Amino acid sequence: MRRREFLGGLGILSLGFEIGCGPSPIVKHARESGTFAPNAWVSIRRDGGVVVEVDKVELGQGVTTLYATLVAEELDVPIDAVETHYADSLPAYRTSSGMQLTGGSTSTRDGYLPIRKAAAAAREMLVGAAATTWGVPPAECRTEGGFVIHGGDRLAYGALTVSAASRPVPSSPNLKPRSAFRLIGKHGRRVEARAKVDGTAKFGIDVRVPNMVRAWVLHGPVFGANAISVRSDKALALPGVLDVFAFPGGVAVVAEKTWQAIAAARVIEVTWDRGVVAGLDTEKLRAAARADTSRGDEQLQTTKGNADKAIANAATKIEAFYEAPYLCHASMEPLNCTVHVRGKKVEVWAPVQSPSVVQAAVAEVVGVSPEDVLVHTTLAGGGFGRRTHADFAVQAAQIAKRVGRPVQMTWSRESDMTQAQYRSINFARMRGALRADGNVAGIDVHLLGQPLLEESIAAFGDALPFPRAFVDTIRGLMATNTLPDLGSLEGFDNTYEVEHRRIAFTPIRTKLPSYFWRAVGPSFTCFALESFIDELAHAARVDPFEFRRRLLPVGSRARRVLDMIAPAWSAPKAPGVGRGIARITYAGETEVAEVVDVELVAGRIKVRRVHVVVDCGLAVNPDIVRAQMEGAVIFGLSAALDQEITLANGVVQQRNFDTYPVLRMFECPEITVTIVDSGEAPTGVGEPGLPPIAPAVANALFALTGRRLRRLPLQKELDVS
Amino acid sequence: MKLEINGVSVEAAVPAETPLLWVVREEAGLTGTKYGCGRALCGACTVLVDGEARRSCVVAAGDVAGKKVTTVEGLADNGVLSALQEAWLAENVPQCGYCQSGQLMSATALLAKKREPTDADVDAVMSANLCRCGTYPRIRAAIKRAVTALVGKP
Ligand code: FES
Ligand code: FES
């Protein structure tokens, strides 16, 4: 039995189907291959090798090291002894809302116990097998370095694989107590790093399949344009060029080699239609949002108390309008996907965040069922949400369907930026008021932006584990403003105790797709709220740190994290330095507070220092938590200072890193990360460090200049006047 | 045409104007060198040509005939990592890793020129290489670590 089929079988087992008589699949597999695989994640070979199937994509967030750490910990083997393998798309791995999915900073939170249990179950069965061999109670045995040990007797795991397989799989194996951890919570090296420094790491773009051809794609100037006519005679005459054809959304140039396809693409003449967003103009969207002061037909997320009345009766009233542009992910590895259509079976190799979404989308293109699409997930050169979408896999499948040989499709950087799934443009009308005693009387938020949840549900389509009718009903309720779009609105609460609060949303519906971007809703809502809180603090003449502290519940994690950043907030600072603070309760679980020091040098915003305090429960690998905070701060700074996607008459104006800049080393601040020592269950760290950086910088600039910048990116806003 | 990549002679039947990047990746089969922008903006494709850091996406293959090309695969010596590669591991530099080949090539060229670069030297040279994951603080630390290891040696 091949491993894949075997694992597919386990998936069925885990769904509760009964298997008839005869040896169980686990026993059969052990007898035939010598490998003991008690579940879909952990297996032990006859030679003692421990393998963990990583059913998440490695985007740089460290999930490979996470899985290796958890398995090595529970199996009592050195971490270097654990081989990691990226899992294919199989039913057993549909563990994230019924899908195989990496996103939302959930891998650590969701995997922490199940992966440990998977390893602990294996350990318990190995110990049981050894104890039976020796005729001693299992409780008298211990494990170390890949051996079960009893007194002077030792048996290697590899020698126990067949006997362990026939033991019952414990449903709740004993987990190691925290006091016995050797690896969890300790500094450790990333297990996949070596391949990333010697050039052997294989990303999607590095996939090589026998007989494979390459496809380069031309996209129209306007998003989603289709070709009306294609002149390709010159291109087809070039060596290596196999085919040039239009497909929905682009023109494929197929050649033996990528450089041949790129050279051919230059001499192809395409007439494009007006695309799906003809006429869309970000300046017009801005004007419309500014003019929209209507009340009454919004989606309501929260009404607590009576914000209108509280604000009307208050001593001091403040109103402010915040804005942020469309953004694109611009992962370093451009979008790519390798597809082979063989009759009714399809194989896909790609850096994707959701193999399940890809299976469903590709199946629809090719006309097979999702189970006939096997997805091999590769290393991904960044993702940031972009790779949960299947649009690029759909294009690759459309091309592969016609070509017949395996096709590796690569998008140019220009396509990556102009045919993106964008973080929505956002606007927030914030109203708030202070009572005479300086406390907050009420806050009223009106968010305008593209409805993220509504649109992403459409993007996930058939991959969602719900009947179509149910999905359609949910979308219908959002479309009629009956259900609030909680994806867009996330983050306006932020643990602050405000007696009167109203949070509302007006969807802006365009045909430009909006999508998950690192930190999702709070990538904007935190900017608007944390800037506005700062405005309220200054109006109340209260220190911004102290103002926030008063609004946070006594004894809360949020308040503890804020208190821990107090030294950074009150440290002496040089003249010419502005200091700002912002914080977030991310997804109700991870707490982050940031303090930044900012200077202006010849008009350029220079962020000198960033202090981060994070409470993510138990930090399974503290150095990776630190790296994620550093990365999120830098990713967030690129957006806070410089990035924007603008459209003029449907055409995206930014096409490469010259017009969509990414922070470079000479502007990278010094970043200090403090992790709260916590015994709580681990929570996500990939996104939470991002949202506070933009408001912290804006607040620092206010402290420095007295100017309140309410629009991102900040440098452009600063330059306007 | 004939190229010398990592000390090995490579025969490639490509037009002279073909970007070196694709010759390295698809003719020499060395996929450590990455495509990121195609316009000398990101540094993901950085290789050494006679010791100089060059963006291989804008270097014509025909222009490097007779010169020595070094890619990330050529940094280690018989499996023994260079001081920079070791420092990269010690500082846990890579996140997604996609930019790291280019980062290492730029850093290698830097140290070949300046045994003990200042912070300003590091910023100036390394700012040609983008990292979307934000590993800059660790790259800085890793270069310092490598310098200490190299200069500390007799
Ligand atoms: S791919 Fe050459 S610099 Fe970006
Ligand atoms: S490590 Fe991901 S782009 Fe640098």
Side-chain angles (χ1 to χ4, degrees):
Chain A
M1 193 168 12
R2 284 164 59 192
R3 175 152 178 84
R4 182 185 309 143
E5 290 156 16
F6 169 68
L7 287 170
L10 278 180
I12 291 169
L13 267 181
S14 72
L15 289 173
F17 288 93
E18 283 295 322
I19 299 286
C21 345
S24 78
I26 297 171
V27 173
K28 236 175 121 221
H29 186 63
R31 281 187 194 152
E32 285 169 12
S33 66
T35 298
F36 166 49
N39 49 63
W41 290 273
V42 177
S43 61
I44 294 150
R45 286 193 311 256
R46 209 193 321 247
D47 66 5
V50 175
V51 182
V52 55
E53 293 286 325
V54 180
D55 57 357
K56 304 284 175 183
V57 62
E58 177 64 63
L59 303 154
Q61 83 282 41
V63 71
T64 318
T65 306
L66 171 75
Y67 274 50
T69 303
L70 300 178
V71 168
E73 185 72 84
E74 291 294 342
L75 267 172
D76 282 328
V77 294
I79 190 163
D80 297 337
V82 178
E83 287 170 35
T84 52
H85 178 255
Y86 298 104
D88 288 339
S89 57
L90 296 169
Y93 304 123
R94 290 176 167 256
T95 54
S96 301
S97 316
M99 290 183 282
Q100 191 175 342
L101 174 72
T102 310
S105 301
T106 56
S107 297
T108 304
R109 186 189 69 200
D110 294 351
Y112 182 63
L113 284 178
I115 301 304
R116 284 175 65 200
K117 277 187 185 159
R123 179 186 171 275
E124 212 158 296
M125 293 164 80
L126 291 161
V127 168
T132 305
T133 309
W134 293 323
V136 301
E140 287 180 7
C141 302
R142 63 190 179 89
T143 47
E144 197 186 308
F147 290 89
V148 184
I149 300 167
H150 180 265
D153 293 329
R154 311 152 63 84
L155 273 170
Y157 288 172
L160 293 163
T161 55
V162 177
S163 49
S166 54
R167 306 189 64 82
V169 182
S171 55
S172 46
N174 283 329
L175 297 178
K176 237 187 214 181
R178 196 178 167 185
S179 56
F181 286 167
R182 296 168 300 126
L183 300 168
I184 296 174
K186 310 284 191 302
H187 177 88
R189 286 194 178 189
R190 295 179 68 112
V191 298
E192 91 294 12
R194 160 94 200 203
K196 290 175 175 178
V197 304
D198 66 13
T200 56
K202 294 283 177 264
F203 295 84
I205 202 172
D206 305 323
V207 166
R208 297 293 179 261
V209 179
N211 201 29
M212 177 179 101
V213 299
R214 312 313 208 277
W216 194 254
V217 181
L218 292 169
H219 290 105
V222 179
F223 182 90
N226 286 314
I228 298 169
S229 71
V230 182
R231 286 201 48 184
S232 57
D233 31 328
K234 274 189 226 146
L236 286 167
L238 292 173
V241 178
L242 302 168
D243 203 354
V244 177
F245 56 92
F247 64 92
V251 171
V253 190
V254 184
E256 295 290 347
K257 300 288 173 65
T258 308
W259 56 266
Q260 293 168 330
I262 295 174
R266 291 214 185 89
V267 295
I268 295 170
E269 288 163 43
V270 186
T271 316
W272 299 96
D273 70 9
R274 284 162 45 78
V276 296
V277 295
L280 187 67
D281 199 305
T282 35
E283 280 307 311
K284 285 185 195 151
L285 287 180
R286 291 186 62 209
R290 281 192 169 275
D292 184 354
T293 51
S294 63
R295 292 281 296 258
D297 63 344
E298 319 100 290
Q299 298 179 1
L300 269 185
Q301 183 201 29
T302 309
T303 39
K304 194 172 145 229
N306 188 333
D308 277 345
K309 203 167 126 201
I311 293 170
N313 295 340
T316 312
K317 304 179 200 16
I318 300 181
E319 188 169 333
F321 190 79
Y322 291 89
E323 298 182 52
Y326 286 112
L327 293 171
C328 95
H329 304 77
S331 306
M332 278 314 293
E333 182 185 13
L335 295 167
N336 65 85
C337 184
T338 305
V339 181
H340 191 194
V341 179
R342 261 175 313 190
K344 290 276 156 217
K345 295 278 179 196
V346 185
E347 229 172 324
V348 178
W349 299 260
V352 291
Q353 288 179 252
S354 179
S356 307
V357 172
V358 169
Q359 281 179 296
V362 168
E364 195 174 323
V365 172
V366 182
V368 296
S369 71
E371 303 80 70
D372 291 324
V373 179
L374 181 68
V375 181
H376 310 282
T377 303
T378 66
L379 288 176
F384 315 115
R386 179 66 178 91
R387 293 186 216 272
T388 58
H389 210 288
D391 55 343
F392 57 98
V394 163
Q395 295 205 350
Q398 279 164 338
I399 298 166
K401 199 167 81 164
R402 163 146 164 176
V403 171
R405 289 165 65 183
V407 180
Q408 179 164 89
M409 180 207 72
T410 307
W411 280 14
S412 64
R413 177 59 64 193
E414 287 76 12
S415 291
D416 173 73
M417 287 190 184
T418 60
Q419 308 294 317
Q421 304 290 328
Y422 300 94
R423 199 291 301 272
S424 174
I425 196 166
N426 278 294
F427 310 94
R429 192 177 301 286
M430 312 283 296
R431 296 193 309 135
L434 299 165
R435 288 196 292 254
D437 62 2
N439 284 319
V440 176
I443 291 183
D444 172 88
V445 177
H446 185 187
L447 174 72
L448 299 94
Q450 291 198 203
L452 174 69
L453 219 52
E454 192 183 317
E455 293 185 21
S456 57
I457 287 174
F460 276 28
D462 290 336
L464 290 168
F466 315 114
R468 218 352 129 78
F470 174 75
V471 175
D472 289 345
T473 306
I474 298 286
R475 289 186 63 204
L477 290 172
M478 287 182 179
T480 53
N481 289 353
T482 315
L483 268 186
D485 196 290
L486 296 177
S488 302
L489 282 160
E490 187 187 349
F492 277 124
D493 172 284
N494 215 14
T495 315
Y496 292 129
E497 291 181 310
V498 176
E499 206 182 324
H500 300 280
R501 169 148 50 197
R502 185 177 191 275
I503 301 172
F505 177 54
T506 297
I508 298 173
R509 293 197 170 83
T510 80
K511 292 222 165 61
L512 190 75
S514 78
Y515 206 56
F516 304 108
W517 185 90
R518 195 173 191 174
V520 196
S523 69
F524 173 70
T525 60
C526 185
F527 169 64
L529 181 68
E530 284 296 293
S531 297
F532 192 64
I533 291 286
D534 220 66
E535 296 205 49
L536 289 169
H538 285 285
R541 298 183 194 287
V542 177
D543 173 79
F545 171 90
E546 189 52 37
F547 191 80
R548 285 176 171 79
R549 194 168 188 277
R550 286 184 200 166
L551 284 172
L552 292 172
V554 177
S556 62
R557 286 170 82 179
R559 190 153 164 175
R560 182 161 59 136
V561 166
L562 190 71
D563 282 343
M564 284 179 65
I565 208 147
W569 176 250
S570 52
K573 62 174 161 40
V577 172
R579 184 166 288 164
I581 185 169
R583 52 159 297 278
I584 190 167
T585 301
Y586 191 84
E589 54 176 33
T590 301
E591 290 291 340
V592 177
E594 293 175 8
V595 165
V596 305
D597 282 358
V598 170
E599 287 174 69
L600 280 179
V601 179
R604 173 65 181 169
I605 303 167
K606 292 275 185 197
V607 180
R608 296 299 190 196
R609 221 158 270 115
V610 180
H611 287 273
V612 183
V613 177
V614 54
D615 181 350
C616 56
L618 170 69
V620 177
N621 185 321
D623 199 50
I624 289 182
V625 172
R626 230 168 271 129
Q628 285 302 299
M629 292 301 131
E630 293 160 3
V633 161
I634 293 166
F635 194 95
L637 266 182
S638 290
L641 297 182
D642 297 314
Q643 290 173 341
E644 64 174 339
I645 292 287
T646 54
L647 288 99
N649 198 18
V651 179
V652 172
Q653 304 293 293
Q654 293 73 23
R655 300 174 58 79
N656 211 317
F657 292 118
D658 48 352
T659 43
Y660 192 77
V662 166
L663 200 79
R664 292 177 185 269
M665 188 184 280
F666 76 100
E667 294 202 304
C668 181
E670 189 187 311
I671 304 170
T672 316
V673 179
T674 307
I675 305 168
V676 173
D677 186 15
S678 164
E680 306 273 317
T683 61
V685 294
E687 297 167 300
L690 186 147
I693 193 68
V697 172
N699 294 340
L701 285 166
F702 179 78
L704 183 64
T705 66
R707 272 192 65 195
R708 176 63 62 183
L709 302 182
R710 299 190 181 89
R711 183 184 173 199
L712 299 176
L714 296 169
Q715 185 66 52
K716 184 173 169 188
E717 185 65 358
L718 185 71
D719 294 344
V720 163
S721 50
Chain B
M1 72 182 68
K2 243 199 177 73
L3 300 174
E4 193 194 316
I5 306 177
N6 301 333
V8 178
S9 169
V10 176
E11 185 65 51
V14 301
E17 68 273 16
T18 308
L20 177 60
L21 166 66
W22 300 106
V23 177
V24 165
R25 287 181 55 81
E26 299 188 348
E27 303 303 320
L30 298 167
T31 55
T33 307
K34 304 300 189 205
Y35 164 72
C37 71
R39 286 185 43 208
L41 298 167
C42 77
C45 65
T46 306
V47 299
L48 306 185
V49 177
D50 282 348
E52 296 275 342
R54 302 285 301 274
R55 315 304 156 206
S56 65
C57 65
V58 294
V59 173
D63 289 350
V64 301
K67 297 180 179 163
K68 288 185 170 40
V69 177
T70 310
T71 71
V72 68
E73 290 90 346
L75 289 182
D77 187 4
N78 271 322
V80 179
L81 298 182
S82 73
L84 278 165
Q85 288 172 308
E86 283 294 354
W88 246 242
L89 294 181
E91 296 291 340
N92 275 338
V93 172
Q95 288 192 30
C96 84
Y98 194 82
C99 73
Q100 297 299 341
S101 304
Q103 305 280 5
L104 278 158
M105 298 320 288
S106 289
T108 300
L110 167 67
L111 292 199
K113 282 218 176 83
K114 297 208 169 180
R115 265 167 72 86
E116 294 182 69
T118 63
D119 290 355
D121 293 334
V122 171
D123 277 1
V125 167
M126 299 307 296
S127 287
N129 291 72
L130 295 180
C131 176
R132 193 67 172 125
C133 299
T135 63
Y136 304 132
R138 285 163 190 258
I139 292 174
R140 279 182 184 149
I143 292 175
K144 286 216 166 88
R145 180 186 281 262
V147 167
T148 308
L150 290 167
V151 174
K153 272 182 200 160

